[in-house]
């Protein structure tokens, strides 16, 4: 990565952690006092003694409220550097230390099945979290990081830790560092230098700074390994920080509140893609509209009479001040794109929802590479909407690919995924040759868009596997995330033609589309294997887990359509999801569902084809609409297994067929079903059958 073209690879970790190893808080001003260093040393000693006294008071308070946890905390602040996890090398101020973390043995994910807990145990109701190793890292993996600053140069505990609402100061420093290692690489909305300067500089924290710190704490506690932090205290700090951010975000509509809420959304959506996460997303997206974050605004209004009551229209136009620097402007751009990213992943996962943030509201140019952002270098990137010149060649009004980074390309691929999602939501008449011709043309244009996007990536991307093994740091983790996003896009588009649930004499499974899906799944498996062997699975986030979940489900759907045993790669994906689930609970949920479904089929309880048919019928029933408010409603109980089938197969429930004419006989069924369902694998006479490549209706 020493070549001149390496700039696009830059991420949040371009700013080496070791750059902070000699940063002891900067000049505190003591050496400018008349009496010189002796006076400064005396002051430092007094401050340290005061901190120890304050810490003992905190200990007494915690001991009274949490007597069972009193032994888990450090005895004094001054001893924090020697009270870390077992295996930590004792440190001295201003030096780097190394941690040898303990964890599960590294090997092929299935190689140690006989001696390690299995995801495929007989008790499907048992939490997978209990079946995973409690440690996150592999033995022998050494992490280097900077030791916390000496306490004399940190702010007092009342300004940062704030009593019992935040962890001790050394934990806070470690948590902020962990955020930039594990999250900011693929959620690059914060500049490392600026953030560390804000939290650990010479000035006191403002309220909005504390809220941002709370968001980082709530999201990053999952990565903290510290023997002083009991499960109860971990839950306490998480609950307090989450509550603080939510209350502040509800009462304040500002760039700062939005930034903290985005980081907290990582925590929520990484735990469960459910109603709480959707509610948080709705707040974020409404704030994008109110703050005009989706526009490249050129003029900002300022008003000195802010205390005079205003209407909603004027308040909205003076709510956001002009950015005071290019890095602040780019920060807002990144903030908007990150909300876009979260909305896209959450919506695509549900299949039937509409995007909350409309494409028409996204009029931002693409973000630049992280190194240019952190260096505060104003640059042009790429406009969104292509233009056609006089020569007929499609281009962009602004196009500077040398200034793009992985986050830029991630935003681009999500725009294509958005188009695919909207395309597949529209019903199509599979009996009409005209309708199917139009469908095929759109399908081909989206396929071409994916190929064009892939060709536009910098040459370094083709060496992603080599980069993983030569430099498995978080600086390349975002490129793994980028590859997983591409796999999600390919599977989402081509599975519609490869594995349709409804067919006619025109719309039949496509061999070309099937091969595109299987190749994408294989490529994700290869990249994931590289990441696993390089001990980098703690660096990827929930979007990567969603891609693993998508790829694993594709293997099950393929087995259902073709009528063959599921590919053994399914076990690899289940185990990897369980491994990622040590950090992001949503991955554990994916692993549990897959393990139960695969186990039922392998034990002969039900075939994948029968599962898919069952899921299709339940979804069809719940899609029926009453024609009158006087029509009766009904309730139907479903088993855990049936809910699993919906989770696995509904993502591939395509095509959506038009509703029948209310006067037609088929209106009782609610959906027009020409020639019924495609064979879903329950007919074992078709074992091993696959589409004929010579008769592919897509015409490739």
């Amino acid at each position: 990565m020493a070549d001149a073209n390496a700039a696009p690879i830059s991420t949040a970790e371009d700013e080496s952690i070791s750059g902070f190893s000699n940063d002891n808080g900067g000049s505190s001003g003591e050496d400018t006092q008349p009496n010189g260093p002796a006076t400064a040393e005396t002051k430092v000693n007094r401050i340290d003694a005061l901190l120890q006294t304050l810490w003992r008071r905190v200990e007494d308070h915690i001991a009274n409220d949490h007597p069972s946890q009193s032994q888990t905390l450090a005895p004094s602040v001054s001893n924090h550097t020697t009270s870390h996890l077992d295996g930590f090398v004792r440190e001295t101020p201003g030096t780097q230390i190394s941690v040898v973390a303990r964890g599960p043995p590294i090997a092929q994910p299935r190689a140690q099945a006989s001696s390690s807990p299995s995801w495929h145990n007989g008790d499907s109701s048992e939490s997978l979290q209990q079946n995973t190793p409690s440690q996150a890292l592999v033995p022998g993996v050494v992490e280097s990081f900077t030791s916390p600053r000496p306490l004399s140069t940190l702010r007092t505990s009342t300004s940062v830790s704030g009593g019992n609402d935040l962890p001790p100061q050394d934990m806070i420093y470690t948590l902020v560092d962990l955020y930039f290692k594990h999250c900011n690489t693929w959620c690059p909305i914060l500049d490392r230098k600026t953030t560390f300067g804000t939290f650990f500089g010479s000035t006191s924290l403002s309220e909005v700074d504390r809220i941002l710190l709370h968001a980082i704490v709530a999201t990053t506690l999952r990565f903290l390994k510290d023997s002083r932090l009991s499960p109860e205290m971990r839950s306490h700090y998480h609950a307090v920080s989450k509550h603080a951010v939510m209350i502040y975000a509800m009462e304040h509509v500002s760039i700062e509140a939005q930034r903290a809420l985005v980081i907290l959304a990582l925590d929520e959506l990484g735990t469960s893609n459910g109603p709480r996460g959707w509610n948080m997303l709705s707040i974020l997206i409404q704030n994008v509209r109110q703050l005009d974050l989706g526009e490249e605004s050129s003029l900002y209004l300022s008003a000195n009479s802010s205390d005079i009551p205003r209407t909603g229209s004027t308040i909205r136009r003076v709510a956001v001040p002009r950015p005071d620097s290019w890095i602040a402007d780019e920060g807002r751009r990144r903030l908007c794109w990150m909300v876009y990213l979260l909305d896209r992943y959450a919506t695509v996962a549900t299949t039937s929802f509409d995007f909350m943030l409309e494409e028409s509201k996204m009029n931002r140019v693409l973000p630049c590479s992280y190194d240019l952002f952190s260096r505060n270098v104003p640059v042009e990137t790429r406009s969104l909407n292509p233009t056609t010149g006089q020569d007929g060649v499609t281009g962009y009004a602004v196009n500077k690919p040398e200034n793009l980074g992985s986050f830029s390309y991630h935003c681009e691929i999500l725009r294509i995924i958005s188009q695919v999602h909207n395309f597949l939501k529209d019903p199509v008449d599979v009996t009409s040759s005209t309708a199917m011709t139009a469908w095929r043309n759109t399908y081909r244009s989206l396929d071409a868009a994916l190929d064009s996007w892939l060709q536009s990536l910098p040459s370094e991307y083709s060496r992603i596997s080599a980069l993983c093994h030569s430099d498995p740091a978080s600086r390349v983790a975002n490129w793994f995330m980028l590859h997983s996003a591409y796999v999600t896009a390919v599977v989402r588009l081509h599975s519609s033609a490869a594995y349709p649930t409804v067919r006619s004499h025109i719309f039949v499974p496509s061999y070309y589309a099937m091969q595109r899906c299987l190749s994408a799944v294989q490529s994700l498996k290869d990249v994931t294997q590289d990441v696993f062997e390089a001990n980098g699975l703690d660096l990827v986030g929930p979007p990567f887990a969603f891609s693993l979940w998508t790829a694993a489900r594709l293997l099950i759907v393929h087995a259902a359509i073709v009528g063959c045993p599921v590919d053994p790669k399914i076990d690899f994906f289940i185990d990897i999801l369980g491994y990622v689930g040590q950090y992001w609970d949503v991955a554990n949920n994916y692993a549990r569902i897959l393990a139960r479904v695969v186990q039922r089929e392998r034990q002969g309880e039900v075939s994948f084809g029968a599962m898919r048919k069952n899921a299709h019928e339940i979804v069809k029933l719940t899609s029926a609409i009453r024609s009158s408010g006087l029509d009766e409603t009904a309730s139907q109980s479903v088993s855990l297994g049936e809910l699993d089938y919906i989770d696995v197969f509904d993502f591939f429930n395509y095509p959506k067929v038009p509703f029948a004419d209310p006067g037609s006989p088929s209106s009782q069924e609610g959906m027009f079903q020409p020639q019924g369902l495609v064979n879903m694998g329950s007919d074992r006479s078709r074992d091993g059958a696959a589409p004929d490549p010579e008769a592919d209706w897509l015409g490739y």
Side-chain angles (χ1 to χ4, degrees), residues 486-557:
Y486 173 73
V487 170
T488 299
V490 170
V491 171
R492 188 75 185 106
L493 174 64
H494 293 292
S495 63
S496 63
Y499 310 102
T501 53
V502 177
R503 71 176 179 181
S504 67
H505 64 286
I506 303 174
F507 198 170
V508 294
S510 164
Y511 177 83
Y512 167 80
M514 190 173 291
Q515 293 307 307
R516 286 297 301 269
C517 289
L518 295 176
S519 296
V521 170
Q522 180 63 47
S523 71
L524 181 61
K525 191 266 182 187
D526 293 340
V527 168
T528 304
Q529 183 73 52
D530 290 334
V531 179
F532 180 80
E533 292 174 353
N535 310 314
L537 285 177
D538 59 327
L539 305 176
V540 297
F544 191 90
F546 177 73
S547 295
L548 296 173
W549 162 242
T550 300
R553 289 182 294 169
L554 188 281
L555 295 178
I556 295 176
V557 172

Side-chain angles (χ1 to χ4, degrees), residues 402-650:
E402 63 273 16
N403 295 327
L404 301 180
S406 60
F407 188 49
S408 320
Y409 293 110
H410 204 156
C411 296
E412 280 194 322
I413 191 67
L414 282 171
R415 286 181 66 85
I416 300 176
I417 291 178
S418 299
Q419 296 170 23
V420 172
H421 180 80
N422 290 329
F423 167 58
L424 297 182
K425 280 181 87 290
D426 293 333
V428 57
D429 184 356
V430 297
T431 63
S432 168
S433 58
T434 301
M436 291 311 302
T437 297
W439 187 94
R440 181 170 58 181
N441 292 338
T442 304
Y443 173 91
R444 287 178 171 177
S445 67
L446 291 171
D447 187 21
L450 285 173
D451 289 341
S452 176
W453 175 87
L454 189 63
Q455 295 299 320
S456 73
L457 295 178
S459 58
E460 289 83 359
Y461 179 78
S462 63
R463 307 202 313 269
I464 187 170
S465 179
L467 286 173
C468 178
H469 288 286
S470 63
D471 188 10
S474 52
R475 66 172 57 91
V476 294
N478 49 356
W479 289 92
F480 306 144
M481 300 278 285
L482 186 66
H483 183 87
S484 71
Y486 173 73
V487 170
T488 299
V490 170
V491 171
R492 188 75 185 106
L493 174 64
H494 293 292
S495 63
S496 63
Y499 310 102
T501 53
V502 177
R503 71 176 179 181
S504 67
H505 64 286
I506 303 174
F507 198 170
V508 294
S510 164
Y511 177 83
Y512 167 80
M514 190 173 291
Q515 293 307 307
R516 286 297 301 269
C517 289
L518 295 176
S519 296
V521 170
Q522 180 63 47
S523 71
L524 181 61
K525 191 266 182 187
D526 293 340
V527 168
T528 304
Q529 183 73 52
D530 290 334
V531 179
F532 180 80
E533 292 174 353
N535 310 314
L537 285 177
D538 59 327
L539 305 176
V540 297
F544 191 90
F546 177 73
S547 295
L548 296 173
W549 162 242
T550 300
R553 289 182 294 169
L554 188 281
L555 295 178
I556 295 176
V557 172
H558 178 81
I561 278 285
V562 178
C564 62
V566 66
D567 192 303
K569 284 195 290 286
I570 190 75
D571 298 317
F572 172 86
F573 286 122
I574 291 173
D575 285 347
I576 291 295
L577 280 168
Y579 198 98
V580 176
Q582 295 176 89
Y583 311 101
W584 304 101
D585 289 342
V586 69
N588 260 341
N589 191 36
Y590 296 152
R592 279 194 294 267
I593 295 171
L594 291 169
R596 289 195 296 261
V597 168
V598 171
Q599 184 183 49
R600 291 188 190 106
E601 197 277 340
R602 286 176 173 170
Q603 293 180 348
E605 296 179 18
V606 59
S607 69
F608 289 136
M611 294 180 192
R612 192 183 192 205
K613 185 175 182 179
N614 179 272
H616 183 274
E617 291 174 346
I618 293 176
V619 171
K620 176 185 169 183
L621 288 173
T622 58
S623 300
I625 305 295
R626 287 189 291 170
S627 58
S628 168
L630 299 179
D631 290 348
E632 292 185 359
T633 60
S635 177
Q636 178 175 320
S637 61
V638 291
S639 64
L640 173 63
E642 289 173 320
L643 293 176
D644 288 343
Y645 305 157
I646 295 173
D647 282 328
V648 169
F649 293 105
D650 189 47

Side-chain angles (χ1 to χ4, degrees), residues 180-506:
F180 281 94
K181 177 181 179 182
H182 294 276
C183 299
N184 204 67
T185 48
W186 47 269
C187 176
I189 62 175
L190 297 182
D191 171 57
R192 183 184 176 96
K193 282 185 177 179
T194 303
T195 305
F196 270 85
T198 299
F199 291 156
F200 308 106
S202 58
T203 58
S204 59
L205 282 179
S206 65
E207 183 183 15
V208 294
D209 295 335
R210 286 182 61 82
I211 293 301
L212 179 62
L213 185 56
H214 273 296
I216 291 175
V217 168
T219 302
T220 321
L221 273 169
R222 67 191 74 230
F223 300 108
L224 181 63
K225 307 296 179 183
D226 194 314
S227 59
R228 295 172 295 165
L229 197 62
S230 66
E232 293 79 11
M233 288 306 296
R234 187 184 298 268
S235 298
H236 165 76
Y237 288 133
H238 178 272
V240 169
S241 290
K242 179 179 179 180
H243 181 75
V245 176
M246 290 300 299
I247 293 299
Y248 188 87
M250 291 297 295
E251 297 180 351
H252 299 81
V253 180
S254 64
I255 300 296
E256 294 78 9
Q258 181 83 341
R259 190 174 290 116
L261 195 59
V262 164
I263 294 175
L264 186 64
L266 304 183
D267 173 71
E268 188 60 54
L269 295 173
T271 300
S272 172
N273 184 20
R276 289 187 303 184
W278 305 335
N279 289 342
M280 195 176 296
L281 270 176
S282 65
I283 298 174
L284 287 170
I285 290 163
Q286 184 58 36
N287 288 346
V288 167
R289 299 189 184 104
Q290 291 184 214
L291 299 172
D292 273 340
L293 288 178
E295 303 285 344
E296 293 287 347
S297 302
S298 60
L299 179 66
Y300 295 83
L301 299 180
S302 60
N304 296 326
S305 55
S306 58
D307 57 330
I308 300 177
R310 299 287 181 183
T311 66
S313 179
T314 53
I315 289 176
R316 175 178 173 272
R317 296 186 181 279
V318 299
V320 181
R322 173 176 173 265
D324 55 8
S325 64
W326 184 85
I327 195 173
D329 193 22
E330 173 68 8
R332 296 180 183 185
R333 186 174 296 114
R334 288 170 171 268
L335 189 60
C336 180
W337 277 113
M338 195 61 210
V339 174
Y340 178 91
L341 182 147
L342 294 175
D343 176 47
R344 266 43 193 173
Y345 276 113
T347 304
V348 168
T350 61
T351 68
S352 59
F353 284 7
D354 293 321
F355 296 119
M356 288 187 279
L357 184 57
E358 306 95 323
E359 290 289 336
S360 60
K361 302 297 183 183
M362 280 298 299
N363 297 313
R364 283 285 197 179
V365 298
L366 291 174
C368 66
S369 63
Y370 188 86
D371 63 328
L372 296 174
F373 167 56
S374 61
R375 283 158 41 197
N376 198 13
V377 178
V379 293
E380 290 183 318
T381 53
R382 180 179 289 166
S383 55
L384 291 181
N385 300 318
T387 59
T388 303
Q390 296 180 352
D391 57 358
V393 177
T394 299
Y396 296 88
V398 176
N399 188 22
K400 300 290 184 180
E402 63 273 16
N403 295 327
L404 301 180
S406 60
F407 188 49
S408 320
Y409 293 110
H410 204 156
C411 296
E412 280 194 322
I413 191 67
L414 282 171
R415 286 181 66 85
I416 300 176
I417 291 178
S418 299
Q419 296 170 23
V420 172
H421 180 80
N422 290 329
F423 167 58
L424 297 182
K425 280 181 87 290
D426 293 333
V428 57
D429 184 356
V430 297
T431 63
S432 168
S433 58
T434 301
M436 291 311 302
T437 297
W439 187 94
R440 181 170 58 181
N441 292 338
T442 304
Y443 173 91
R444 287 178 171 177
S445 67
L446 291 171
D447 187 21
L450 285 173
D451 289 341
S452 176
W453 175 87
L454 189 63
Q455 295 299 320
S456 73
L457 295 178
S459 58
E460 289 83 359
Y461 179 78
S462 63
R463 307 202 313 269
I464 187 170
S465 179
L467 286 173
C468 178
H469 288 286
S470 63
D471 188 10
S474 52
R475 66 172 57 91
V476 294
N478 49 356
W479 289 92
F480 306 144
M481 300 278 285
L482 186 66
H483 183 87
S484 71
Y486 173 73
V487 170
T488 299
V490 170
V491 171
R492 188 75 185 106
L493 174 64
H494 293 292
S495 63
S496 63
Y499 310 102
T501 53
V502 177
R503 71 176 179 181
S504 67
H505 64 286
I506 303 174

